[in-house]
Amino acid sequence: MRLATILSGGKPALAAYRGADLIDLGKAGPGLPGDILAFIAGGDAARAAIARALESAPATAVLDPERTTFLPVVPRPGKIICVGLNYADHSAESGFKQPDYPTLFGRFATSLIGHKAPLIRPSLSDQLDYEGEIAAVIGRRGKHVPKANALDHVAGYAVFNEGSVRDYQFKAPQWTVGKNFDGTGAFGPALVTADELPPGARGLRLTTRLNGETVQSASTDDMVFDVASLISIISEAITLEPGDVIVTGTPAGVGVARKPQLFMKPGDVCEVEVEGIGLLVNPIAQEAAERAAA
């Protein structure tokens, strides 16, 4: 099942794909989940109700994806845990020794945007870089989760572009600020439930394109710490809860490591595509003067 968070009637709403059609579940039938967290909490009964509603959805519930406003798949996750240096080729290009333990840092919900929304280059920097990644959305609470059943805690996967403001990222040993500028974390277009994909989303091709040119291409098999390992390791210290998001890392090809360096600028379009999960497209815009002064 593929689910998207959209704007409907000026409010966040849940939609689901029926083939190429996007169905507004608020208009498809009564009693359906209104957001991703309600879908997760509803379990098999919610999935069955949505499946039935998709079969008989009225024409008034069918949306044109090109005219739909997409929001982040989970608009305000309780936790967004990012993994740095999780592809050996990216660690090498970045000049870091491959760590033996995941490099973890947090993102905040105010950094998130949806599919087709602009990634914002801040007024303070011209070093906005792309990082194509997959995000795992947690579906079941867990602490000290054994690796053997860690994937049972995944509700599904989405595409993520972890826009990084590089000069601010490296102002200090902690990367938090450079990874959390408003409007730099694209998350979407849809949540693909785990049963639609290989276990742990393994073996999928991840491709990032900037203005149509491929700048990153790798298999998710190349992750140093796979999704099951990340869930198990993170849950040793942090209780994972439904709706939490783990952003699993980016492969080689980032702009800061190129010679000459390649950063995103206003007018550019960045696409991140993951086989079986979807295509996330975002134009680049400059931070508005009035926003910068606020």
Side-chain angles (χ1 to χ4, degrees), residues 7-263:
L7 202 61
S8 177
K11 297 180 181 179
L14 192 62
Y17 282 90
R18 183 183 63 190
D21 290 334
L22 184 62
I23 309 298
D24 184 338
L25 294 180
K27 300 176 180 178
L32 298 176
D35 57 37
I36 290 290
L37 291 181
F39 167 75
I40 292 172
D44 290 342
R47 290 172 63 110
I50 291 172
R52 290 193 298 270
L54 291 179
E55 291 179 357
S56 58
T60 53
V62 180
L63 304 171
D64 179 356
E66 296 303 315
R67 300 179 65 182
T68 298
T69 298
F70 288 82
L71 301 176
V73 170
V74 184
R76 298 196 66 83
K79 293 185 282 294
I80 307 167
I81 301 171
C82 299
V83 187
L85 308 177
N86 201 28
Y87 287 75
D89 55 0
H90 175 55
S91 298
E93 73 173 356
S94 302
F96 289 98
K97 180 180 180 294
Q98 184 63 52
D100 297 326
Y101 186 89
T103 302
L104 304 176
F105 57 93
R107 255 193 185 264
F108 308 126
T110 48
S111 73
L112 298 182
I113 60 170
H115 173 56
K116 300 192 298 179
L119 284 159
I120 303 299
R121 187 177 76 167
S123 59
L124 296 172
S125 174
D126 61 2
Q127 294 190 15
L128 178 61
D129 205 349
Y130 51 82
E131 289 195 5
E133 313 195 20
I134 65 166
V137 177
I138 298 299
R140 180 190 301 179
R141 189 178 189 275
K143 173 77 170 174
H144 296 298
V145 178
K147 181 179 176 181
N149 67 344
L151 295 181
D152 295 341
H153 291 255
V154 178
Y157 299 88
V159 185
F160 206 97
N161 189 349
E162 208 213 348
S164 302
V165 182
R166 295 300 187 190
D167 47 352
Y168 275 79
Q169 179 183 348
F170 297 119
K171 279 182 179 290
Q174 296 289 338
W175 298 350
T176 303
V177 171
K179 297 287 191 173
N180 276 287
F181 274 72
D182 290 351
T184 58
F187 183 22
L191 176 81
V192 179
T193 54
D195 60 301
E196 297 274 335
L197 298 166
R202 293 188 64 90
L204 305 180
R205 177 59 49 178
L206 185 159
T207 304
T208 305
R209 292 181 289 271
L210 184 61
N211 299 325
E213 178 182 351
T214 297
V215 289
Q216 292 182 293
S217 181
S219 169
T220 56
D221 278 345
D222 297 337
M223 285 193 289
V224 176
F225 300 97
D226 61 16
V227 174
S229 297
L230 290 171
I231 290 171
S232 182
I233 292 168
I234 292 168
S235 71
E236 291 173 345
I238 301 168
T239 298
L240 293 172
E241 299 174 308
D244 287 350
V245 179
I246 300 174
V247 185
T248 60
T250 199
V254 297
V256 71
R258 292 174 174 266
K259 296 182 180 179
Q261 291 178 326
L262 177 64
F263 295 119

Side-chain angles (χ1 to χ4, degrees), residues 120-123 285-294:
I120 303 299
R121 187 177 76 167
S123 59
Q286 183 66 33
E287 182 179 21
E290 60 270 18
R291 181 177 176 183

